[in-house]
Amino acid sequence: NKPFKLRKNFVTRKQEAAGIRSKFSNKIPVIIERYEREKFLPPLDKTKFLVPHELTMTQFVTIIRNRMALLPTQAFYLLIDNSGLASMSLTMAQVYKDHQDEDGFLYMTYASQEMFG
Amino acid sequence: PAATAVAKNVYAVLDLYGRITAVSIVSS
């Protein structure tokens, strides 16, 4: 279970993201990976998502929580890589515009705590 | 002739209602 960036080199990832954006122009390519030291949240069955650009972060987090069948009491944070938490009212398009990686993907990490130790 | 490696990537495609369908992106 290597991180996505270690499974494919930069050129491949960049080409893949560009191809996806041309085929699915209304979707944002998002890579969601579990925090490497996460102990409480289960692994997601999917890593790679194509997300409607108008979906808000709140809606997206809800979808992922439901996918993982989390209890309402279970803490879940979706962090934008290298930037921490994004405002929940932002749309995926806005988050992508501000935080997309050089390869064209948007990277997120999920964890049961909002700050990494 | 050398075989062309074809890789299938599976993406989870979300709609606005939270439904997920799987799409395979074939790349060579």
Side-chain angles (χ1 to χ4, degrees):
Chain A
N1 291 329
K2 283 184 188 174
F4 185 69
K5 281 190 173 181
L6 293 183
R7 296 204 301 268
K8 297 185 183 185
N9 63 37
F10 175 78
V11 171
T12 302
R13 285 184 271 120
K14 195 171 169 75
Q15 287 173 343
E16 187 168 318
I20 286 167
R21 293 285 286 154
S22 68
K23 281 184 195 170
F24 302 92
S25 58
N26 62 341
K27 302 269 193 236
I28 305 294
V30 183
I31 305 296
I32 300 180
E33 292 170 310
R34 190 173 177 230
Y35 173 49
E36 59 181 355
R37 293 185 201 160
E38 178 55 44
K39 294 188 176 92
F40 303 105
L41 295 174
L44 256 180
D45 58 341
K46 296 275 185 287
T47 302
K48 299 181 288 195
F49 292 82
L50 298 181
V51 184
H53 61 87
E54 63 266 54
L55 211 68
T56 64
M57 280 294 295
T58 300
Q59 290 170 313
F60 188 48
V61 165
T62 301
I63 290 168
I64 300 298
R65 286 191 65 111
N66 289 342
R67 186 99 188 143
M68 298 171 81
L70 297 182
L71 297 171
T73 51
Q74 278 180 283
F76 175 87
Y77 295 96
L78 204 51
L79 299 104
I80 314 299
D81 272 12
N82 301 322
S83 300
L85 288 172
S87 168
M88 288 291 116
S89 60
L90 291 179
T91 63
M92 296 303 293
Q94 289 169 318
V95 175
Y96 183 70
K97 178 172 167 290
D98 291 339
H99 298 290
Q100 65 168 297
D101 191 89
E102 288 178 308
D103 62 13
F105 285 96
L106 177 62
Y107 288 87
M108 296 187 181
T109 302
Y110 69 89
S112 54
Q113 55 186 23
E114 60 189 291
M115 295 287 288
F116 298 143
Chain B
T4 301
V6 176
K8 283 190 181 178
N9 291 310
V10 178
Y11 282 77
V13 183
L14 269 63
D15 65 16
L16 288 172
Y17 305 101
R19 292 176 299 208
I20 294 180
T21 53
V23 167
S24 179
I25 312 281
V26 178
S27 56
S28 57

